[in-house]
Amino acid sequence: MIQSNESAERIRELLDRNLQEVFGENDGVRRRAAIGELWAADAVLYVPPGAITGHDAIDKFAGDLRETHPHYVYTPHGNPQVLHNAGRLAWGSGPRGETPEYTGWDVITVRDGKITALYVFLDETSDEFRRASGEPSTL
């Protein structure tokens, strides 16, 4: 049996910080610094539109996403869970203090204390999922 050498504490930290400091950050300089600290150079972000590779592309995607709703906050739903070199975190996004406009899961893999892959699962009942998937909105 192969055991992961990744710290469960570090994986939880990566999930929490990525949610807030990358996808929840409006300031491009701070967001880019967080990407450099949290993500491996060859990391891949898997989102409904497709796979995005590398710091520059991840930063552009996160920045473009923030521009669509800069007043939204990301709120964890429960605590991060860790298994070997991976972790997952449920979250919601919407205006602070209101019911989330959309929800989903982040699932990461980690190598040497950095995110190597992030799979973003949007709950299919949300308009955000339909928008990101190119399906018509229910609005």
Side-chain angles (χ1 to χ4, degrees):
M1 180 184 308
I2 298 173
Q3 292 289 331
S4 171
N5 63 354
E6 298 300 333
S7 155
E9 182 178 313
R10 176 62 175 166
I11 293 172
R12 287 184 191 98
E13 175 189 2
L14 289 168
L15 283 160
D16 286 331
R17 289 186 59 199
N18 182 66
L19 189 65
Q20 301 306 326
E21 297 175 29
V22 176
F23 288 92
E25 180 58 64
N26 287 327
D27 182 280
V29 173
R30 287 197 300 257
R31 181 178 48 253
R32 182 55 190 239
I35 290 169
E37 186 179 336
L38 304 175
W39 289 74
D42 60 346
V44 181
L45 168 64
Y46 296 94
V47 289
I52 298 162
T53 304
H55 289 185
D56 290 341
I58 292 166
D59 182 39
K60 179 174 179 4
F61 179 84
D64 290 349
L65 180 64
R66 289 303 303 160
E67 286 180 11
T68 66
H69 39 63
H71 62 291
Y72 279 22
V73 295
Y74 286 91
T75 305
H77 292 177
N79 295 318
Q81 295 177 305
V82 174
L83 179 64
H84 300 287
N85 70 326
R88 70 179 189 163
L89 176 65
W91 49 262
S93 182
R96 185 177 306 281
E98 296 183 21
T99 301
E101 293 288 324
Y102 63 100
T103 56
W105 286 87
D106 284 354
V107 177
I108 63 171
T109 58
V110 176
R111 180 186 67 236
D112 299 328
K114 293 198 172 195
I115 298 168
T116 56
L118 167 60
Y119 298 82
V120 178
F121 294 88
L122 296 176
D123 290 330
E124 293 182 15
T125 57
S126 73
D127 282 330
E128 184 68 17
F129 173 83
R130 287 183 282 282
R131 183 192 66 75
S133 301
E135 297 179 15
S137 174
T138 60
L139 295 179

